[in-house]
Amino acid sequence: MSKPRFDELRERLLRAGIGPSHVRRYVRELREHYHDLYRAELARGLPPKATEHAARTRLGSDDVLAESMLARPELRSIAARFPALVFGAAPLLIWLALATLAVVALRSGGAWYEVRSQVPLDRLVRGVELTCLAFVRVLPVLVSAGVFWSAMRRRSRALWPITGAAVVTLVAASITVSAVAGQVGLSTSLLPGFSSSVVMGYRSNALTALAETVARASWMLALTLVPYGLWVARRTHDY
Amino acid sequence: MASPGFLSGVPEILILRLLSDREMYGYEIVRAIDVESESAIVLGEGVVYPILHTLEQRGLLKARRKPVNGRTRVYYTVTRAGSERLRDVAGQWTRIASAVSRILDGGSDVKATV
C-alpha cells in the first residue's frame, strides 16, 4: 500500500496561515484514516490499485480537504493573523526583556560578590564583560534564527521576519561593551546621548560608530538570513 | 434542500454525543455516525478533523495520542465544558425538532425560535 503524503495539502494550509501544529496533526490523521479506508476497501475484495483509488476518493480530494480546514479561521495561527506583531515587534521585545533581565541579574550579582566573594575583581569584570558581549552579539543571532525558523515552519512571507531580525541585530550591534577601571559599560551608537550608569565608553565620532554598527549588524544578520534566503528560494522553486 | 446554516451545528452535536460515551478517533466517529444514523447522515471522511480541531480549540474536546497495534492514533474525549455544551445544544435541537415536527403535522401553535 502506498500511503499518500499530502505534501501539497500541507503546503497549501501552511501558506494560508493554518497553525503548524494543526496542519501536522491533520495530515497525520488523514494518513491514518486513509489506512483504515484502505483496509475496509481491501476487505471488500478489490484489487490493490482499485483499493487505493477507492480509499483516496472516499477520503476526499485535496481541494475538499483544504477547504474544510480553511473554512475555519479560528485554526489560523496568531502569527498569520498578526505577522507584524509576532515577527516584527516580538523579537526585539524578547531580546530587550532578556537583556534587561541579564543587566539586572549582573548588577545584583555584582553587588553580592563585592560584599561576600573572594573572586578577584578583574576576573569578575571579565566575566561580566563576556556575558554582556554574549547578550549583544550572540543572543541576537539566536533570536533571529528563532524568528526565521518560526517563519519557515509557518511558510510566512519573508517581509516581517526579515524586518524583525534586522531590527534586533541592528539595535544589538549598536551596543558597545567596554571594561575600564573595574567597571563594565554599555553604550549605543544609535543614541549618542545614551549611556548606562556605569558606562565608560564614549564615541566621539558618531558617524564612524554608526558605520561600524551597520557592518556588524550585517554580519550578524547574514549568519541567519543567508540560510533562510536559500530555503525560501528552494521552496519557491519547488512549489 | 437543507439550509447550511440550519444544519451547520449538527456534526458538532453528533460528535459531542458520541464522544460523551467513550473516546474515539476520527475514523471511528465517521463510522459511528454512519451506523447510528442508518446512513441518513454521512459525514465527509476527511472533513471530520477540522471540526474536531475546532471543538478541541474551544475546550470542548481533549485530544491525546495513543499507540495502537504499532500505529499512533489521536483519540478525542469530551471535556466538562463539552458536556455542558452538549446539554445546551441538545436541548435546543430537541425543541427545534419538535417544533418542525408539529409544523409538518399541521399544528398552528408553534412558539419555538430558530
Side-chain angles (χ1 to χ4, degrees):
Chain A
M1 180 187 73
S2 64
K3 273 192 180 181
R5 290 177 49 82
F6 300 109
D7 286 343
E8 283 183 27
L9 177 67
R10 183 194 294 111
E11 285 299 315
R12 190 166 157 187
L13 294 176
L14 287 171
R15 283 167 194 265
I18 302 294
S21 58
H22 283 298
V23 174
R24 198 170 49 243
R25 196 165 91 198
Y26 188 34
V27 167
R28 192 187 303 132
E29 287 175 315
L30 288 175
R31 282 196 194 132
E32 288 301 322
H33 202 115
Y34 172 84
H35 189 93
D36 289 322
L37 288 172
Y38 180 88
R39 287 175 57 172
E41 292 294 335
L42 202 61
R44 291 172 53 199
L46 289 174
K49 269 285 167 213
T51 301
E52 283 179 12
H53 180 72
R56 191 66 181 86
T57 306
R58 278 180 65 184
L59 189 63
S61 67
D62 272 9
D63 283 342
V64 169
L65 297 173
E67 289 307 322
S68 65
M69 202 71 169
L70 298 177
R72 296 179 174 272
E74 65 272 18
L75 298 179
R76 295 187 77 214
S77 66
I78 294 173
R81 281 182 262 182
F82 311 104
L85 185 69
V86 172
F87 294 121
L92 181 63
L93 295 176
I94 289 169
W95 177 76
L96 282 174
L98 290 172
T100 306
L101 278 175
V103 167
V104 170
L106 286 173
R107 283 197 171 180
S108 5
W112 185 84
Y113 261 101
E114 219 167 45
V115 177
R116 304 188 184 191
S117 173
Q118 299 302 312
V119 176
L121 185 64
D122 58 336
R123 201 186 295 173
L124 180 66
V125 169
R126 183 70 184 144
V128 171
E129 186 189 9
L130 286 175
T131 308
C132 287
L133 275 173
F135 269 84
V136 297
R137 298 291 179 264
V138 181
L139 185 63
V141 176
L142 296 178
V143 169
S144 301
V147 169
F148 289 138
W149 177 77
S150 178
M152 287 193 288
R153 266 187 87 211
R154 292 172 167 75
R155 311 293 190 268
S156 307
R157 289 173 187 275
L159 174 67
W160 284 115
I162 291 175
T163 305
V167 169
V168 168
T169 46
L170 188 65
V171 172
S174 76
I175 295 174
T176 310
V177 181
S178 48
V180 180
Q183 286 190 315
V184 177
L186 306 172
S187 60
T188 171
S189 60
L190 293 181
L191 299 168
F194 168 84
S195 64
S196 79
S197 61
V198 289
V199 68
M200 293 291 119
Y202 174 70
R203 313 306 295 256
S204 55
N205 189 338
L207 204 61
T208 310
L210 201 60
E212 283 173 14
T213 293
V214 172
R216 210 161 29 230
S218 304
W219 276 109
M220 287 163 68
L221 186 61
L223 288 174
T224 49
L225 183 59
V226 169
Y228 176 64
L230 290 172
W231 181 86
V232 169
R234 210 189 72 193
R235 280 276 157 186
T236 311
H237 181 260
D238 288 351
Y239 291 93
Chain B
M1 188 172 66
S3 152
F6 185 72
L7 292 176
S8 61
V10 171
E12 176 187 327
I13 303 174
L14 299 179
I15 288 169
L16 287 174
R17 175 66 191 87
L18 287 169
L19 293 177
S20 66
D21 287 340
R22 65 183 176 93
E23 65 174 5
M24 291 187 191
Y25 53 91
Y27 181 79
E28 272 189 310
I29 294 169
V30 175
R31 293 284 78 76
I33 290 174
D34 185 31
V35 170
E36 300 276 334
S37 71
E38 294 175 348
S39 299
I41 301 169
V42 180
L43 211 57
E45 297 278 353
V47 303
V48 69
Y49 297 105
I51 303 171
L52 291 167
H53 288 210
T54 299
L55 292 175
E56 190 209 7
Q57 195 171 56
R58 286 164 55 195
L60 305 179
L61 296 182
K62 206 166 60 183
R64 74 177 179 117
R65 293 176 68 182
K66 190 169 148 185
V68 180
N69 298 329
R71 294 165 62 188
T72 305
R73 295 191 183 280
V74 181
Y75 279 82
Y76 293 88
T77 45
V78 175
T79 62
R80 183 177 292 182
S83 300
E84 287 167 12
R85 172 77 181 153
L86 174 62
R87 258 198 311 277
D88 289 348
V89 291
Q92 285 170 18
W93 181 261
T94 306
R95 281 197 299 280
I96 291 165
S98 330
V100 171
S101 294
R102 284 201 295 278
I103 292 173
L104 292 177
D105 291 344
S108 58
D109 55 344
V110 178
K111 287 181 183 171
T113 306
V114 179

